[in-house]
Amino acid sequence: MMREIKFVCRKLDCGNPVSESRGPLIEDGRGGVRLLSCSGDESSIRQCDIIGPGFCDGKYYHHVTCSESVRLVGGAGLCSGRVEVKSNQSWASVCEADFDRQDAEVVCRDVGCGAPAALQGGLYGEGEGQTWDKEFQCKGKESLLLDCDTSDRENNTCLPGNAVGLTCSEPDDVRLVGGGSRCAGGVEWYDQGEWRIVGAEDWDQRDVAAVVCRQLGCVSTVSVPPGNTTRGFRVSCSGSESSLRGCRRMYDLRPGLTVICSDLLVQPDIFLTDPMGGVFRGHQGPEMFRGYNFTITCSTQPQYPGGSFLLKFTGSNRTQTQPAVNHSAVFLFPAADDSHQGNYRCVYDNCFLS
């Protein structure tokens, strides 16, 4: 249903779909319609395939939650795109200079996704409307972007190529249980406040498994063992979705799906931040003014517990190690000088000895 829900959120002039659930129809004489198919880009509900009124399986209807003030536009899925903020009943792009890692954490949370994975200006185009005229002052713990403080922008211009693009990790709402590894086991989806078993038709199992492995960062599907005796609500995917949220969900029961994926760690993410405002974007990437303090933050997906980060610096072959706290580590540097020039790379170590 996520494509249909995306359509509903857009028609209401709201942001991204955050969640959906089902509830009983109100017995007031009204009938429902059944949305069979929407691409998510229709201008009217009449362009979707519908049955009704009066036809509703199991007499249930859908509750839809959309983000109110922020959306991600132009990305490949629900968790990536150009950041746009609702302003005076229209949507405005956000300038990269007015947006930092803490703001990104709140936006990802607001649209129902996981932690920020990448932050880069111009990645998803410039947009056709206005530019947001405030600078966000998020602390990173707010639930909604509207809860963050704002201040007037120091510079009223936003250069082309600087509309901020954000990629969030997929939500941590899928897991594999009983397989002895985080990349093997029965598929469960966190739905309506509890973990529910996922089932699939025989012809859908490979596609659903591919999406599950992709969402968990397990790279690829190794096998789909025969269905077990448990039963779960049915999910149908094309196989190209970035997460199960993009698949079609039905509430009839099918044999529970068991999946074995290849277990490879994904590349950690790396961010450069500067509390003193000394960073700017050069032709070959971020650059620092001499004399300014700066930090480099390494982060990884939330399904990898514990571990530590190794920051490698090619400029002098130096390395630093920090334990992972909440899936990330922060490396602090004093006043920047020529000795700090070079390439920085995060390496994540998740090995445990017994």
Side-chain angles (χ1 to χ4, degrees):
M1 288 293 296
M2 192 53 68
R3 288 178 297 180
E4 288 76 15
I5 292 167
K6 177 183 176 183
F7 165 81
V8 170
C9 289
R10 193 182 71 254
K11 287 300 293 180
L12 293 174
D13 200 25
C14 295
N16 282 39
V18 175
S19 66
E20 60 93 10
S21 60
R22 66 173 186 165
L25 284 172
I26 301 173
E27 296 296 337
D28 60 358
R30 292 183 297 174
V33 298
R34 183 181 181 189
L35 291 178
L36 292 182
S37 177
C38 287
S39 69
D41 297 319
E42 292 84 357
S43 59
S44 167
I45 195 172
R46 297 178 184 276
Q47 295 175 332
C48 301
D49 292 332
I50 61 176
I51 297 178
F55 184 91
C56 232
D57 284 348
K59 300 189 182 302
Y60 283 92
Y61 71 98
H62 280 269
H63 300 272
V64 178
T65 301
C66 314
S67 58
E68 295 183 30
S69 59
V70 63
R71 66 185 185 183
L72 301 178
V73 180
L78 295 172
C79 291
S80 64
R82 184 178 63 257
V83 179
E84 291 190 350
V85 179
K86 197 170 186 180
S87 173
N88 297 324
Q89 303 306 310
S90 62
W91 291 93
S93 299
V94 177
C95 191
E96 184 181 20
D98 302 330
F99 200 83
D100 61 17
R101 168 80 181 195
Q102 291 175 311
D103 302 329
E105 289 175 354
V106 178
V107 169
C108 289
R109 188 178 302 120
D110 199 342
V111 299
C113 298
L119 184 62
Q120 180 179 342
L123 188 60
Y124 298 104
E126 287 302 298
E128 299 177 356
Q130 59 184 326
T131 300
W132 177 249
D133 60 358
K134 300 286 186 180
E135 181 176 353
F136 289 108
Q137 304 288 344
C138 297
K139 296 178 176 62
K141 301 299 183 182
E142 297 88 347
S143 298
L144 304 173
L145 190 62
L146 283 178
D147 295 336
C148 297
D149 294 331
T150 60
S151 62
D152 292 332
R153 294 177 59 191
E154 295 182 1
N155 190 338
N156 290 325
T157 62
C158 187
L159 298 176
N162 285 343
V164 68
L166 175 62
T167 301
C168 309
S169 58
E170 296 297 337
D172 191 19
D173 59 358
V174 172
R175 67 183 184 184
L176 300 178
V177 298
S181 164
R182 67 172 193 85
C183 286
V187 182
E188 292 187 353
W189 191 351
Y190 193 75
D191 177 61
Q192 301 184 55
E194 63 179 300
W195 287 99
R196 299 173 183 264
I197 296 172
V198 171
E201 298 282 11
D202 290 345
W203 57 84
D204 275 334
Q205 290 182 355
R206 284 282 176 183
D207 290 333
V208 176
V211 176
V212 169
C213 294
R214 184 178 303 119
Q215 181 172 352
L216 292 175
C218 298
V219 184
S220 62
T221 309
V222 175
S223 65
V224 181
N228 50 44
T229 57
T230 60
R231 300 178 72 81
F233 67 85
R234 180 158 63 101
V235 174
S236 178
C237 304
S238 69
S240 61
E241 296 86 352
S242 58
S243 72
L244 283 189
R245 287 205 304 165
C247 299
R248 186 174 298 275
R249 180 190 325 194
M250 290 135 295
Y251 286 92
D252 51 329
L253 297 180
R254 290 294 183 270
L257 180 64
T258 299
V259 175
I260 299 175
C261 315
S262 57
D263 187 3
L264 296 177
L265 295 176
V266 297
Q267 179 67 33
D269 301 302
I270 184 168
F271 296 90
L272 170 66
T273 56
D274 62 314
M276 301 171 61
V279 69
F280 66 99
R281 183 167 294 278
H283 295 295
Q284 298 181 343
E287 298 181 9
M288 286 290 304
F289 288 112
R290 288 181 175 85
Y292 283 81
N293 298 342
F294 66 98
T295 64
I296 291 180
T297 302
C298 301
S299 63
T300 190
Q301 302 295 326
Q303 64 263 28
Y304 302 139
S308 60
F309 285 98
L310 180 69
L311 181 66
K312 293 191 173 184
F313 173 42
T314 61
S316 63
N317 293 320
R318 293 180 299 184
T319 60
Q320 294 186 36
T321 302
Q322 292 273 13
V325 178
N326 294 329
H327 324 296
S328 66
V330 178
F331 298 85
L332 305 177
F333 290 85
D337 57 32
D338 291 342
S339 68
H340 292 108
Q341 295 185 79
N343 296 317
Y344 294 81
R345 183 165 64 95
C346 293
V347 177
Y348 183 64
D349 184 1
N350 194 33
C351 296
F352 297 91
L353 299 178
S354 59

